[in-house]
Amino acid sequence: MYKVVVTNDDGIHAQGIHKLVKSLDGLAEIIVVAPDTERSAEGHRITVREGLTVKRVDFHGMKHIQAWAVNGTPADCVKMAINVILQERPDLVISGINAGLNLGKDIYYSGTVSAAREAVIYEVPAIAVSYENHFHKDDFGEVEKLVRPIWEEIKIHDIPVDVLININVPHIKSAELRGVVVTGLDIHHYRDRIDERPGVSGVPEYWLDREYGELKKINNKDYHMIRNKYITMTPIQIDSTDYTFFKKMEEWKVIKKNLLEEE
């Protein structure tokens, strides 16, 4: 049977992962392996200085769902799922549903996306899915209804093993959805803002925040399309080599051609 590992970065008891499993129910054998507590914005961190534990848990009362909690990061959870729990590669890994969008450069900070990236490192097709409810984390609206057709479509297509699909879902009613689109990443849709606040013993603290302002919204990129009531899907390669610039660099005087290619 089609086997799907489900994970997240909000923790195994989060509402989003429950919604994800409910949206998948009946389409596949589902194995949940997720952090025992929230691990948001941890990126692709893995645990190497302490031991990991894997504990069987009840998953929101869904008795037919096998679920394990891991005392580690989202990337750790994927490692545990493949190497310890299943001891084989699943057909697909889906990470989410994250409380809050992961657009543009967020993919480099997101634990949700990093779990999907870890699966791709293991040559397992993967998806990260996030929902536009950062300021209302308990309100997942009609997300199950919105994403179910995507899972049905994905099941009949081959996703390259070196690509993850980053999905973002707007916080709207299903009747308002204008469609599902393939988009690029809008890397510059916000700027960092650093807020200085008084800290302990008068030592200032610096808090990270964001400014969206009137930045240029690029048509057909993820931020713009979410604002226009589309679900966005972005295929992301994990090989970050820029092969176009690679060719130009080969002409630098200091660079030698790869002699191994000439043997």
Side-chain angles (χ1 to χ4, degrees), residues 16-183:
I17 196 170
H18 185 207
K19 293 287 187 181
L20 174 55
V21 169
K22 289 174 67 178
S23 73
L24 285 164
D25 208 8
L27 290 178
E29 178 186 352
I30 303 167
I31 302 94
V32 177
V33 187
D36 57 0
T37 59
E38 183 177 355
R39 297 281 189 156
S40 297
E42 292 209 359
H44 210 120
R45 187 171 76 82
I46 59 174
T47 302
V48 295
R49 293 180 177 85
E50 59 184 279
L52 292 169
T53 60
V54 176
K55 182 182 178 182
R56 187 77 179 261
V57 297
D58 172 77
F59 186 75
H60 300 269
M62 300 179 73
K63 302 300 182 184
H64 63 295
I65 299 297
Q66 303 174 56
W68 284 264
V70 178
N71 66 330
T73 67
D76 290 332
C77 291
V78 174
K79 290 180 182 292
M80 292 297 101
I82 294 173
N83 294 300
V84 176
I85 296 168
L86 295 179
Q87 298 184 11
E88 64 178 1
R89 290 182 176 88
D91 296 294
L92 182 68
V93 169
I94 306 181
S95 180
I97 297 171
N98 189 66
L101 298 172
N102 279 302
L103 302 168
K105 58 190 171 188
D106 292 337
I107 67 166
Y108 297 103
Y109 310 125
S110 166
T112 302
V113 179
S114 294
R117 188 182 297 112
E118 182 66 27
V120 173
I121 289 172
Y122 276 90
E123 298 185 330
V124 177
I127 297 166
V129 56
S130 305
Y131 187 69
E132 189 186 17
N133 64 340
H134 178 75
F135 296 106
H136 307 280
K137 292 186 177 182
D138 293 328
D139 184 0
F140 278 84
E142 298 181 7
V143 70
E144 295 171 55
K145 186 175 181 180
L146 291 168
V147 299
R148 175 79 178 201
I150 296 175
W151 307 150
E152 293 172 343
E153 179 85 6
I154 282 171
K155 190 174 178 180
I156 62 175
H157 294 284
D158 292 327
I159 302 173
V161 296
D162 58 346
V163 171
L164 70 90
I165 299 176
N166 188 45
I167 297 177
N168 285 280
V169 183
H171 181 44
I172 57 176
K173 299 289 187 183
S174 58
E176 300 171 11
L177 183 69
R178 298 176 68 180
V180 181
V181 292
V182 179
T183 69

